[in-house]
């Protein structure tokens, strides 16, 4: 496999790990970018833009973008923290102060920080939405506003896999008066210069590759197959579990290659980005990018990575750690160091920042595995970054 792009001196282990992902871990098309102290030190891509077809179609190019699934959550969480930084959003205010309809069904004491940290108690919908309904922000907001919580808000945590879209998107719209995708474009992607979209413009559709299931090589071939623990497997298999119901809040699951789905704005799941776009975005949260834009103040950066939820996750059935919307380093989401914060996408993508080393990381792929977090390809790249720093 020909690996294209550049690495700064000392970061050669990342190129080696990236090439090994294609040789050993079934990678078909992917890119990785790393920034250090606001400057790009790794920019690599290889393979084909599309995962399907006999040859995968056109080659991956420097500007190729992909759906990044739940890595989108880290972007919308940063948007809400920016509103707090600007004095427009109080983290300790009830959500209903900004969104009165949300007070229904026992949610009147749900705080903004509960919503961000997966403590709101509404990871499921009693009546799942169709893909068309899910794409309508008014319908999605009305559904989560009417939903009764499955635990008392603020008392426990569980991953809001799909409902995070309407919770965060509607809160931002109530505070700013603007659609979430447009706000992100104007206030985050534009100023930072990041190839990152929530609601893909028609003019950019041709840059996005087709995604699908990734090959999962056996360990004997040098690759890695992860086998879920029994409790996790049973939770995903049980149609009545919070796990299955949380991911089934949109039923059937949308076609991620559908242009209509890509044009919608679902902050939990359908952001589209290049690897460089994700890494550049996270670099702007911890410092100036290329000597220019910085989004977070040091205080907001610390808020982003201050633990709000930790321990057994009622949805993912493993121990998870969350700050105010971002996943924190731990067994479920191994990042670069204990101080890292970011978010994976189910079965592949990963993006995060590590303030102690000044590193920001972005990885995108066209092949998704069954795992929710800790994808072996992304983890191989994180280990290589750690080795380069050492």
């Amino acid at each position: 496999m020909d690996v294209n792009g550049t690495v700064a001196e000392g970061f050669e282990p990342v190129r080696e790990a990236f090439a090994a992902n294609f040789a050993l871990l079934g990678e078909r098309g992917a890119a990785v970018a790393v920034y250090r102290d606001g400057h790009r030190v790794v920019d690599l891509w290889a393979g084909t833009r599309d995962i399907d077809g006999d040859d995968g179609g056109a080659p991956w190019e420097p500007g190729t973008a992909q759906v990044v699934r739940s890595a989108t959550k880290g972007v919308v969480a940063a948007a809400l923290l920016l509103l707090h930084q600007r004095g427009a959003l109080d983290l300790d205010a009830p959500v209903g102060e900004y969104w009165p309809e949300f007070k229904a069904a026992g949610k009147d004491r749900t705080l903004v920080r509960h919503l961000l940290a997966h403590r709101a108690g509404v990871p499921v919908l009693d009546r799942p939405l169709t893909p068309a309904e899910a794409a309508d922000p008014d319908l999605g907001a009305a559904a989560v506003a009417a939903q009764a919580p499955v635990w008392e808000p603020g008392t426990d945590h569980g991953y809001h896999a799909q409902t995070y879209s309407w919770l965060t998107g509607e809160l931002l719209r109530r505070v700013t008066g603007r659609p979430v995708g447009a706000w992100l474009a104007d206030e985050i992607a534009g100023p930072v210069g990041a190839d990152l979209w929530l609601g893909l413009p028609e003019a950019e559709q041709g840059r996005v590759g087709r995604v699908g299931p990734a090959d999962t090589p056996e360990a004997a071939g040098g690759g890695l197959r992860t086998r879920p623990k029994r409790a996790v497997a049973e939770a995903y298999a049980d149609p009545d579990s919070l796990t299955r119901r949380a991911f089934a809040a949109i039923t059937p699951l949308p076609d991620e290659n559908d242009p209509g789905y890509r044009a919608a704005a679902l902050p939990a799941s359908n952001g589209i980005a290049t690897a460089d776009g994700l890494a550049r975005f996270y670099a702007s949260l911890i410092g100036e990018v290329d000597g220019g834009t910085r989004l977070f103040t040091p205080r907001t950066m610390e808020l982003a990575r201050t633990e709000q939820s930790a321990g057994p996750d009622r949805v993912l059935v493993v121990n998870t750690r969350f700050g105010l919307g971002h996943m924190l380093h731990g067994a479920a989401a191994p990042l670069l160091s204990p101080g890292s914060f970011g978010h994976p996408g189910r079965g592949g993508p990963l993006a995060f920042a590590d303030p102690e080393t000044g590193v920001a990381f972005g990885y995108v792929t066209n092949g998704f595995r069954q795992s929710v977090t800790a994808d072996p390809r992304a983890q191989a790249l994180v280990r290589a970054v750690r080795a380069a720093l050492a």
Side-chain angles (χ1 to χ4, degrees), residues 28 49 123 136 155-156 171 196 203 208 242 263-264 286 312 374:
R28 292 288 299 276
R49 187 185 67 180
D136 184 324
T155 63
D156 209 343
L171 179 59
L196 173 65
V208 184
L242 286 183
I286 61 174

Side-chain angles (χ1 to χ4, degrees), residues 328-361:
L328 306 181
H329 176 77
L335 304 177
L336 191 61
S337 78
S340 301
F341 66 99
H343 217 290
R346 186 178 186 184
L350 177 64
F352 64 83
D354 186 68
E356 277 66 38
T357 60
V359 163
F361 174 96

Side-chain angles (χ1 to χ4, degrees), residues 4 30-31 43-49 58-65 206-207 274-275:
N4 303 290
D43 183 24
L44 299 173
W45 64 94
T48 57
R49 187 185 67 180
W60 194 292
E61 297 178 343
T64 297
R207 297 178 57 180
T274 62

Side-chain angles (χ1 to χ4, degrees), residues 95-116:
V95 175
E97 183 175 306
Y98 304 98
W99 178 4
E101 297 89 337
F102 190 77
K103 297 176 184 179
K107 301 192 300 298
D108 52 300
R109 290 186 290 180
T110 306
L111 305 182
V112 171
R113 68 171 60 249
H114 296 157
L115 185 153
L116 277 165

Side-chain angles (χ1 to χ4, degrees), residues 140-323:
V144 291
Q147 178 66 41
V150 295
W151 66 79
E152 182 181 345
T155 63
D156 209 343
H157 82 285
Y159 190 53
H160 289 51
Q162 301 281 21
T163 57
Y164 208 75
S165 279
W166 311 297
L167 294 170
T168 57
E170 184 64 11
L171 179 59
L172 186 144
R173 184 167 65 157
R174 295 293 177 120
V175 172
T176 68
R178 297 161 63 190
V180 60
W183 197 93
L184 290 175
D186 293 342
E187 304 292 337
I188 290 181
V192 173
D195 284 340
L196 173 65
W197 302 273
L198 184 60
L200 186 69
E202 185 175 355
E204 305 292 348
Q205 290 276 358
R207 297 178 57 180
V208 184
R210 291 180 60 82
V211 297
D215 295 333
T216 308
E218 295 287 353
L224 176 66
R225 169 175 286 178
T226 55
R227 292 179 172 83
K229 295 180 180 179
R230 178 175 296 179
V232 176
E234 290 175 351
Y236 279 96
D238 180 1
D240 296 323
S241 70
L242 286 183
T243 308
R244 275 282 295 274
R245 292 174 63 205
F247 284 97
I250 303 176
T251 300
L253 289 175
D255 176 3
E256 293 171 304
N257 296 315
D258 176 26
Y261 175 73
R262 294 173 174 178
L266 292 166
S269 60
N270 84 331
I272 290 174
T274 62
D276 180 73
L278 286 175
R280 192 173 180 88
F281 157 71
Y282 273 101
S284 76
L285 302 186
I286 61 174
E288 293 184 352
V289 178
D290 294 334
T293 303
R294 177 172 182 165
L295 292 180
F296 278 180
T297 64
R299 181 176 180 275
T300 304
M301 182 190 75
E302 290 303 324
L303 277 175
R305 63 177 184 158
T306 298
E307 184 180 279
Q308 302 289 316
S309 301
D313 188 300
R314 293 189 60 171
V315 171
L316 296 182
V317 201
V318 294
N319 289 341
T320 57
R321 297 179 65 228
F322 288 97

